[in-house]
Amino acid sequence: MGEDGAQQPLSPWRCIGVWGRPEPWGWAHDRHHAHAPRSSGPCHSTTSASPSPAGSHPCNPRDFGHGSLVCECSATYCDTLDPVTLPPAGNFLMYESSKAGKRLERSEGRVQRSLTAPGIEYNLVRVPMASCDFSVRLYTYADVRGDFALKHFNLTEEDTKMKIPILQQAQAMSRKPVLLYASPWTSPTWMKTNGAMTGRGTLKGKPGDKYHKTWANYFIKFLDEYAKHNLTFWAVTSGNEPTAGEIIFYPFQCLGFSPEHQRDFIAHDLGPALANSSHKGIQLIMLDDQRVMLPYWAEVVLKDPVAASYINGIGIHWYLDFLAPIDLTLSMTHHLFPNYYLLSTEASAGSYFWEPRVILGGWDRGSKYSHSILTNLNNYVTGWTDWNLALDLEGGPNWSKNYVDSPIIIDSSKDLFYKQPMFYHMGHFSKFLPEGSQRVGLATEQKCYQCDLEYSAFLRPDGAAVVVVLNRTPMDISFVISDPGIGFIEAKAPADSVQTYLWMRQKGDPGRPPQGPQAQGEEKGAPLH
């Protein structure tokens, strides 16, 4: 998953890393037993950091002077994680990354090995249909004017020499299914009102006519061609950022839709085309745009029973989150339409014009990822997609120079790549929350009104409990996690850190949630949230 290093001028594909399948709560992406000392009373756990066990490789740190480290990788060496083995009931594992330099560092007791994947176990990949801004040229699969039968529909070298081989390799390497979902940026220009891939323009005609039927069949042709290479898709979105195509002089590929237009296109064209195709069970995700559009966009589309019958989920992007309070957008949408999952389909750091594009070792960007993931998960989102997983030192390639940062940055001149703090922040979720995990509530006891820990708790299908804790403050904060029937975990979140706690729950406990974090007070009397 991620961009490959194939030579120009082929278009690197904007992959999207991630972990999470929304059914009903899923994070695909785990084993070492940790034995912590037991006491005769409540289980006050102690931990010790042990050397990396055989089979794992530590980070090769490199400091570029931006406040934290990257982990340098080459063709012969790269840091890896050991598989995760659940500890017995009453014990726990803790993984920690920090601005100071820890990268998914484990605290543990004795270790036993088992067979799971050595990486951070992403399981969801977003694949662009044809070109997008992170291509090196503009193209579609049906550029022959007036080809309503799509007789000249063809994949390109970007697909056959890059995307398809990479996806096949990823699936072959993964021990769990890799779920693919596809998003188109634009239709062929001869279908559009402005005759161009960029700028303000939408489909000619109206839903139900030959332009809309042809555009819907374009999706089916894409799925058909990839199926010939043994690649099947879990879902498609109705189109990337439909509001972008309503903006005059928009600088890269787009196709405009209003919510009413998208509703009618799905009801009359795309929905029936998918339902009547050979791709049975494929899911359809609407919106695929900023969450500020919610809940209005969902109300327009999903209150139409025909359109709603074809839709499974709602895709959201993070770029305008600062304009959209999460409780008034995501939570409200969930409560209005609880049968449709919410999926974060795009996020990238360094995208605002005032920001540096690539910051090697930028810890704050990793913290921003964890903050977004936690707040999304705590408000009914079922998965989170990064964009892009791998880019070059400039933040591209990108034909429109719309450069951004990435969890993995490649220095092709040195045959190296750097795993950024963002990569490890994502790993604190993807590695430990397999598909089917369920978010549960935390009953918190707050004694601190000046500190601010962020956290979420989950029950995994195998019976384990997971708590992720993010500390974005400049102070260490001690806290306690209490799990009824198990005991307590006394812990400390160092300044600028993210931690994942994992322990096995007692058999027969169907899901009474853990409690905490409960503040202890630490450093200048500042306990935690």
Side-chain angles (χ1 to χ4, degrees):
M1 299 156 291
E3 211 130 84
D4 79 330
Q7 68 275 12
Q8 306 270 346
L10 297 182
S11 163
W13 55 297
R14 271 176 90 174
C15 137
I16 289 196
V18 258
W19 42 277
R21 178 183 179 181
E23 281 193 303
W25 209 109
W27 309 102
H29 300 46
D30 335 43
R31 251 174 205 199
H32 284 308
H33 283 284
H35 294 269
R38 293 185 181 180
S39 67
S40 58
C43 181
H44 293 281
S45 304
T46 61
T47 63
S48 60
S50 62
S52 296
S56 67
H57 301 286
C59 171
N60 181 21
R62 184 84 181 273
D63 190 346
F64 286 87
H66 296 298
S68 193
L69 306 172
V70 298
C71 297
E72 183 178 274
C73 297
S74 67
T76 57
Y77 184 88
C78 193
D79 58 292
T80 61
L81 283 176
D82 261 17
V84 177
T85 295
L86 292 175
N91 297 290
F92 74 97
L93 303 178
M94 189 270 283
Y95 289 77
E96 179 176 304
S97 300
S98 68
K99 187 176 183 179
K102 291 184 179 180
R103 295 294 181 265
L104 285 166
E105 183 173 306
R106 180 179 56 216
S107 297
E108 59 175 305
R110 291 176 299 178
V111 175
Q112 296 177 355
R113 298 186 58 80
S114 69
L115 295 175
T116 59
I120 60 173
E121 302 186 53
Y122 294 159
N123 85 320
L124 189 63
V125 179
R126 183 182 185 217
V127 183
M129 286 189 204
S131 68
C132 61
D133 47 323
F134 279 86
S135 302
V136 296
R137 67 186 182 97
L138 292 90
Y139 66 92
T140 75
Y141 298 131
D143 288 331
V144 175
R145 187 167 298 277
D147 183 16
F148 290 101
L150 298 178
K151 293 180 179 179
H152 301 284
F153 185 102
N154 280 305
L155 299 181
T156 65
E157 286 189 330
E158 284 85 349
D159 298 279
T160 58
K161 294 186 177 180
M162 296 178 65
K163 298 181 190 179
I164 289 171
I166 293 171
L167 291 172
Q168 290 172 334
Q169 187 176 14
Q171 290 192 333
M173 293 176 65
S174 178
R175 292 175 181 169
K176 298 177 181 178
V178 177
L179 304 176
L180 310 179
Y181 72 105
S183 301
W185 265 243
T186 182
S187 70
T189 58
W190 56 271
M191 296 185 190
K192 294 184 65 176
T193 55
N194 65 339
M197 294 192 193
T198 64
R200 184 177 184 179
T202 186
L203 287 176
K204 294 178 180 177
K206 61 182 180 180
D209 72 5
K210 63 180 181 180
Y211 288 99
H212 288 74
K213 295 293 183 191
T214 302
W215 180 229
N217 289 332
Y218 183 101
F219 285 68
I220 308 305
K221 283 281 192 177
F222 170 83
L223 298 171
D224 289 344
E225 291 300 314
Y226 267 68
K228 294 176 183 178
H229 298 272
N230 295 317
L231 291 172
T232 57
F233 281 75
W234 161 71
V236 295
T237 78
S238 52
N240 178 71
E241 296 187 351
T243 59
E246 303 289 346
I247 300 173
I248 297 175
F249 306 126
Y250 195 76
F252 52 87
Q253 295 97 314
C254 58
L255 183 63
F257 281 88
S258 66
E260 293 81 6
H261 191 178
Q262 186 177 92
R263 174 197 65 201
D264 295 343
F265 170 60
I266 290 172
H268 298 294
D269 305 294
L270 183 57
L274 291 170
N276 295 323
S277 74
S278 61
H279 308 283
K280 302 302 180 185
I282 191 166
Q283 305 218 353
L284 176 58
I285 299 170
M286 57 166 279
L287 188 56
D288 200 13
D289 207 332
Q290 316 307 322
R291 80 180 190 207
V292 73
M293 311 299 172
L294 296 173
Y296 174 71
W297 197 288
E299 290 183 288
V300 170
V301 176
L302 294 178
K303 286 185 177 180
D304 177 87
V306 178
S309 69
Y310 295 115
I311 295 168
N312 303 95
I314 303 166
I316 54 168
H317 296 189
W318 86 337
Y319 302 103
L320 297 180
D321 281 3
F322 58 89
L323 298 177
I326 200 163
D327 56 332
L328 299 180
T329 53
L330 301 186
S331 291
M332 187 175 292
T333 301
H334 169 77
H335 290 298
L336 286 170
F337 304 102
N339 296 325
Y340 299 86
Y341 57 78
L342 293 163
L343 177 66
S344 178
T345 52
E346 186 175 318
S348 60
S351 61
Y352 302 123
F353 69 87
W354 60 85
E355 295 181 299
R357 294 313 184 212
V358 174
I359 300 178
L360 290 174
W363 179 260
D364 288 347
R365 289 186 170 177
S367 290
K368 187 177 180 181
Y369 268 36
S370 282
H371 169 73
S372 176
I373 294 168
L374 282 169
T375 55
N376 274 266
L377 299 189
N378 287 335
N379 287 273
Y380 307 103
V381 173
T382 59
W384 198 92
T385 313
D386 169 66
W387 177 256
N388 297 265
L389 185 59
L391 294 172
D392 63 23
L393 290 167
E394 193 173 25
N398 187 297
W399 75 267
S400 64
K401 298 183 168 39
N402 183 35
Y403 303 127
V404 299
D405 210 340
S406 174
I408 294 176
I409 294 294
I410 298 170
D411 186 346
S412 57
S413 67
K414 297 179 181 177
D415 197 26
L416 298 172
F417 62 92
Y418 304 114
K419 292 159 76 174
Q420 297 259 57
M422 289 179 283
F423 177 87
Y424 297 94
H425 275 266
M426 293 182 69
H428 275 273
F429 299 89
S430 62
K431 183 70 175 176
F432 308 105
L433 297 176
E435 180 181 352
S437 297
Q438 191 85 26
R439 181 176 64 85
V440 295
L442 280 175
T444 61
E445 178 183 330
Q446 182 172 332
K447 295 181 180 178
C448 172
Y449 299 97
Q450 297 178 349
C451 54
D452 188 15
L453 285 186
E454 302 168 55
Y455 45 82
S456 196
F458 309 87
L459 296 179
R460 295 168 26 137
D462 57 12
V466 176
V467 173
V468 183
V469 179
L470 173 66
N471 183 5
R472 294 194 291 165
T473 76
M475 65 181 72
D476 296 347
I477 301 172
S478 292
F479 60 95
V480 173
I481 299 173
S482 171
D483 188 348
I486 301 296
F488 301 88
I489 298 171
E490 291 186 342
K492 179 190 290 185
D496 292 305
S497 68
V498 60
Q499 300 173 322
T500 300
Y501 293 85
L502 174 72
W503 67 94
M504 198 66 192
R505 310 196 81 222
Q506 289 182 341
K507 290 183 178 180
D509 187 347
R512 189 179 173 196
Q515 297 176 343
Q518 298 177 9
Q520 289 275 38
E522 173 84 7
E523 305 262 345
K524 303 177 183 177
L528 66 67
H529 180 143

